[in-house]
Amino acid sequence: MAVLMATASCTAYRAALESSGEVVGERTLVRRVGWLAALAQTMTTQILTERWTGAALSDLASGTSSDGRALPAKGWMAVRRLSWGCAAPAGVYVPERVRRIAEEEAARALRLALHRRTVLAAVCATWPADPARHSEAEWRALRAALPAGVSTAQIRNRTRQVRAHLTAHGSLPIDVTGLEEVPVVAAQVLLAAADKQLVTLTRATAVPADAGASGGPGTDKGGGPAAGDGHDGPQTAVLRVKLPLVAAPVSRADWAWHVIVFTVPPHVPTHAAWCAPTLRVAAHRLRVDLPFTVPLPVVSAVGHRVGLGLDWGVNTLLTGTVARLTHPTDDGLTGKPGSGRTTGPAGGRVVSDGRMLRYDATAISAKLHRLRAHRERLAAKRDHYAALLPGMCAPHFQWADLQHHHARAAAEHERVCARIRRLNHALAWSAARWAVDQAIATGAGVIYLEDLATLQARGRRRGNARLSGQVRGLVVAAIRHLAAKASIAVVTVPARGTSKYCPRCGTGTSVLQHVAAPDRPKRAGWKWARCSCGLSADRDWAAAERIVARGLLGQSHTRTDRATGHRTITVVVEGNVARARRPRAEARRVRRANRTGRDSFVRPDRPGPTLGKGRSTPKRPGRPPRVAQGARVVRGEAGLAQASRRVPEWRTVPAPTTVGQRPAGHEPQSGHPLGSRSGRARDFQHRTGFHRARATPVIRLSAEYGPRAGTATPTQAV
Ligand SMILES: [Zn+2]
């Protein structure tokens, strides 16, 4: 069995004091958790400030304490073994477990710094003659010096950091402590480091009618997993935690047990095992980050007959195709190892159903591009004000104005960054959900993707409106997570040459001609692929066919990374892809779905819409956002700065949903290519969560199509 680990973010609205049953409202609860987080943050910062030296980092890296014993794996224990433990601030009493939390957080920050230090040492040791570009030999030397699993982005970031230091000081940095300031830790409470003297977490045996407000919560303790399976109702967790009653507690009496009852989101399976959560305060809400583990059956890397191949587009985020290996007992599953690029085996044929699956995020990609440009403008403005400020002394009549402008630019920049982050996240999970749903609905046991590492090396960076590599990384991570839950394997295949050669003929020799459009075959372009064999198809679709063929035919070359569990095929096994028709009834269903744009597939693991419920539940009217009142505290500034109303502090991007609410933005206008209010409206929002993400509908289709085993030519449907 494998284990899937994930974190569910929950919100707690109120608590009850265990001793008296007194209800603690949200505002008070948030304040008390904030005090605890601030205490832990202060103590962590104290340790980090004292130990932010090369010698201390070397002590931690050596893995042994001064008496020769090995350091424990647990961070707080290692910190204590090195006698780096912290004390509470003067005049403040904290339980011993709170000190543990602070020490654990410090140990994690320092261990992360150790990793950066190793990368930095490798980058400095192999510093190239010309910092702007590494030669092939320099890259090899750098890769040899680096520890395994360091990504290209990490190397790039360290190199930039060193280059900046070199420009400023004229020398390479000695250590990470000379290059970076003391790490800043977040205000959060890592309850994982504490034990039952500070925290307990249990499942509620029954869902209370008024969660948190019910008295006598001690009776909820000790319950096993919630009764019932499937989606009988939301799971409820009972978190008992000791919180300070004042900002600076002076004695044991200033701490009290609080019982916090919160609802666990429905995507956490009922059989999942919960771990101790992390508490943090975000936007005046108490967030409970609940890690959980789910045992999953191990998915085989080989023996797949039906696969989904996905290609990355420039603006079209994903283009895919489903293909099937016709003779599972043929060479196709055993391959020809060690021969590098081989031609397709004579018997095993890859047959596609000729249906292009596409997740087109052009409009969202353009939005991201506009936001990125806006972010750059704001950063330039902010830096300009910052540069002007020191030149003006305080009595200057424009001093206050300038400071106000600077604070406002900084606040707006922060909000635009957050907006980009949330949009990236929402887009990535929406696309991943769509891709995994397509795989489930068509009976594919494996998803083949291009290897992002080889994709970047190829340098496909062109055009401004392209989706950033960051989104692609997020999509891959999300697909891996969702596919693991559905027992679908995810395998990366080499990206080189996927859109260069024809998938229909030639097996890696017939070069495709790329033109602007199918009706303009003479005009060179990007979007359309043509071949002398008669193939005329979307460029990304042709590439997706090659990807799925490489995956299905090269299964025997699958390698699994021991550390990450990620699967890769590094050997290119080429084979032609034929197309076969689906049975008539299925083809008709596909046509109908394409016409309406509606899915006919509901995920097996989610509840359907409630019968008789015509609309989504309206949101509770909450506290008005602070921006509406025209004031917002800017971090690092003493006064208040007013941010422009054009940049809202919060902009919700809803999660992908079948029955959920409509996202922010306008409804497509009548006559708009995306749809109209007439009967033939094509509603893309219902699955993707975005009005303007055009995604192929998900339809449940049989995995058995094309020729029977033993039939040579795949022409007729079964
Ligand atoms: Zn061809």
Side-chain angles (χ1 to χ4, degrees):
M1 293 293 266
V3 169
L4 179 83
M5 186 154 200
T7 300
S9 197
C10 320
T11 309
Y13 295 100
R14 59 183 89 74
L17 282 180
E18 194 173 56
S19 52
S20 61
E22 181 197 330
V23 176
V24 179
E26 186 180 20
R27 199 172 292 187
T28 315
L29 179 64
V30 163
R31 209 180 301 146
R32 288 179 184 173
V33 171
W35 288 333
L36 178 55
L39 281 173
Q41 195 183 19
T42 312
M43 291 191 285
T44 308
T45 311
Q46 180 199 334
I47 301 178
L48 289 176
T49 317
E50 282 172 18
R51 308 297 164 189
W52 193 241
T53 59
L57 285 181
S58 300
D59 283 351
L60 186 63
S62 70
T64 50
S65 56
S66 53
D67 56 2
R69 285 189 293 166
L71 288 179
K74 277 199 169 133
W76 64 270
M77 289 169 84
V79 163
R80 287 191 180 182
R81 182 76 61 79
L82 289 163
S83 355
W84 293 354
C86 60
V92 173
Y93 165 79
V94 296
E96 198 265 339
R97 278 11 177 223
V98 175
R99 287 200 284 125
R100 270 192 202 177
I101 289 172
E103 285 155 359
E104 175 72 29
E105 183 124 33
R108 290 187 187 183
L110 289 172
R111 281 179 171 164
L112 280 174
L114 282 187
H115 177 72
R116 293 202 299 279
R117 192 189 198 212
T118 321
V119 178
L120 182 72
V123 168
C124 286
T126 59
W127 192 247
D130 174 15
R133 64 174 63 229
H134 286 69
S135 72
E136 200 61 39
E138 282 165 344
W139 271 118
R140 268 200 303 277
L142 178 57
R143 281 276 172 206
L146 282 170
V150 175
S151 71
T152 322
Q154 279 175 303
I155 300 175
R156 191 183 55 218
N157 292 344
R158 291 301 134 217
T159 310
R160 279 183 190 166
Q161 219 178 8
V162 173
R163 203 185 304 158
H165 187 273
L166 194 62
T167 316
H169 300 91
S171 65
L172 291 175
I174 309 286
D175 203 339
V176 69
T177 52
L179 192 64
E180 295 177 7
E181 296 294 309
V182 178
V184 177
V185 288
Q188 57 179 11
V189 186
L190 282 177
L191 291 175
D195 61 10
K196 64 181 182 204
Q197 296 200 28
L198 191 84
V199 60
T200 62
L201 177 71
T202 45
R203 289 170 198 264
T205 43
V207 182
D210 187 8
S214 56
T219 51
D220 287 340
K221 278 188 290 178
D229 41 19
H231 292 275
D232 291 347
Q235 300 175 76
T236 310
V238 181
L239 178 72
R240 285 172 69 249
V241 62
K242 242 185 200 177
L243 293 177
L245 298 173
V246 290
V250 291
S251 70
R252 208 176 280 261
D254 288 337
W255 291 77
W257 281 101
H258 288 65
V259 179
I260 303 170
V261 181
F262 61 91
T263 308
V264 177
H267 69 263
V268 179
T270 45
H271 60 278
W274 298 344
C275 312
T278 295
L279 306 182
R280 64 192 163 91
V281 174
H284 317 291
R285 284 269 150 94
L286 172 57
R287 306 293 286 174
V288 183
D289 292 332
L290 178 70
F292 63 94
T293 56
V294 188
L296 289 175
V298 177
V299 186
S300 169
V302 293
H304 294 292
R305 289 188 56 219
V306 182
L308 170 68
L310 294 172
D311 179 56
W312 302 105
V314 178
N315 285 319
T316 309
L317 187 51
L318 291 169
T319 306
T321 187
V322 172
R324 183 167 93 84
L325 203 60
T326 50
H327 305 309
T329 50
D330 273 344
D331 291 347
L333 287 180
T334 54
K336 293 173 188 170
S339 57
R341 171 171 289 178
T342 56
T343 54
R349 298 193 66 154
V350 180
V351 182
S352 141
D353 68 347
R355 182 167 173 248
M356 176 165 69
L357 311 172
R358 188 163 61 172
Y359 190 100
D360 184 354
T362 309
I364 300 143
S365 159
K367 173 76 190 173
L368 277 166
H369 177 56
R370 288 197 298 274
L371 282 171
R372 281 198 291 265
H374 188 42
R375 179 185 62 188
E376 297 313 312
R377 275 197 299 276
L378 285 171
K381 222 181 205 182
R382 181 199 56 193
D383 296 347
H384 182 63
Y385 287 134
L388 284 178
L389 270 172
M392 236 181 245
C393 38
H396 196 281
F397 71 104
Q398 278 188 330
W399 165 261
D401 265 4
L402 200 56
Q403 209 171 25
H404 171 79
H405 287 323
H406 175 255
R408 193 167 82 166
E412 291 192 3
H413 179 260
E414 221 168 83
R415 288 183 194 181
V416 173
C417 288
R419 168 95 172 102
I420 293 173
R421 233 173 14 244
R422 284 187 215 115
L423 193 53
N424 277 343
H425 181 267
L427 179 61
W429 280 90
S430 163
R433 184 71 259 174
W434 171 85
V436 174
D437 281 355
Q438 291 284 9
I440 300 173
T442 49
V446 57
I447 295 176
Y448 294 111
L449 293 161
E450 279 175 300
D451 196 344
L452 284 179
T454 56
L455 192 71
Q456 279 160 2
R458 196 172 47 172
R460 219 197 215 183
R461 289 169 162 257
R462 43 185 289 172
N464 280 327
R466 65 176 186 81
L467 286 157
S468 71
Q470 194 192 0
V471 180
R472 289 179 182 165
L474 285 174
V475 175
V476 174
I479 287 181
R480 283 193 209 282
H481 178 88
L482 296 173
K485 276 187 175 173
S487 297
I488 292 172
V490 177
V491 182
T492 54
V493 299
R496 197 169 288 276
T498 46
S499 46
K500 191 174 175 191
Y501 300 108
C502 173
R504 199 79 61 244
C505 68
T507 55
T509 53
S510 186
V511 177
L512 285 174
Q513 180 198 359
H514 290 124
V515 297
D519 57 345
R520 284 183 290 172
K522 297 280 181 252
R523 175 135 179 228
W526 172 267
K527 196 66 198 129
W528 206 259
R530 287 167 58 88
C531 178
S532 52
C533 72
L535 175 104
S536 174
D538 181 276
R539 176 204 184 96
D540 294 332
W541 188 17
E545 286 192 334
R546 283 211 85 82
I547 288 166
V548 73
R550 282 183 180 184
L552 285 174
L553 296 173
Q555 290 185 48
S556 61
H557 303 284
T558 311
R559 298 277 170 273
T560 307
D561 185 292
R562 205 173 281 174
T564 58
H566 295 168
R567 292 190 163 131
T568 323
I569 296 174
T570 47
V571 180
V572 177
V573 182
E574 299 285 24
N576 288 340
V577 182
R579 279 186 195 168
R581 278 192 213 128
R582 287 201 169 264
R584 193 166 291 173
E586 286 201 338
R588 207 178 297 142
R589 261 168 49 213
V590 170
R591 274 203 301 278
R592 196 184 311 129
N594 284 344
R595 204 163 53 233
T596 59
R598 299 289 302 190
D599 297 347
S600 62
F601 169 79
V602 177
R603 288 202 298 279
D605 61 344
R606 74 174 295 154
T610 312
L611 280 180
K613 186 177 176 188
R615 65 189 180 89
S616 52
T617 311
K619 270 193 171 168
R620 282 194 304 179
R623 213 175 300 154
R626 300 195 69 178
V627 66
Q629 297 160 2
R632 179 171 178 269
V633 182
V634 179
R635 204 185 303 152
E637 295 292 332
L640 295 173
Q642 186 175 359
S644 153
R645 275 155 199 264
R646 282 196 201 162
V647 191
E649 191 165 12
W650 290 101
R651 175 89 182 249
T652 50
V653 180
T657 169
T658 309
V659 287
Q661 72 215 34
R662 191 165 277 282
H666 304 289
E667 222 174 312
Q669 300 288 307
S670 158
H672 190 276
L674 286 186
S676 66
R677 286 164 183 273
S678 68
R680 291 190 58 188
R682 300 188 56 175
D683 179 10
F684 296 103
Q685 180 269 330
H686 77 280
R687 172 167 293 277
T688 61
F690 294 98
H691 288 303
R692 305 195 190 283
R694 282 178 278 180
T696 312
V698 183
I699 315 165
R700 192 178 282 285
L701 294 170
S702 151
E704 297 301 321
Y705 64 89
R708 281 194 201 90
T711 317
T713 331
T715 50
Q716 193 61 47
V718 196

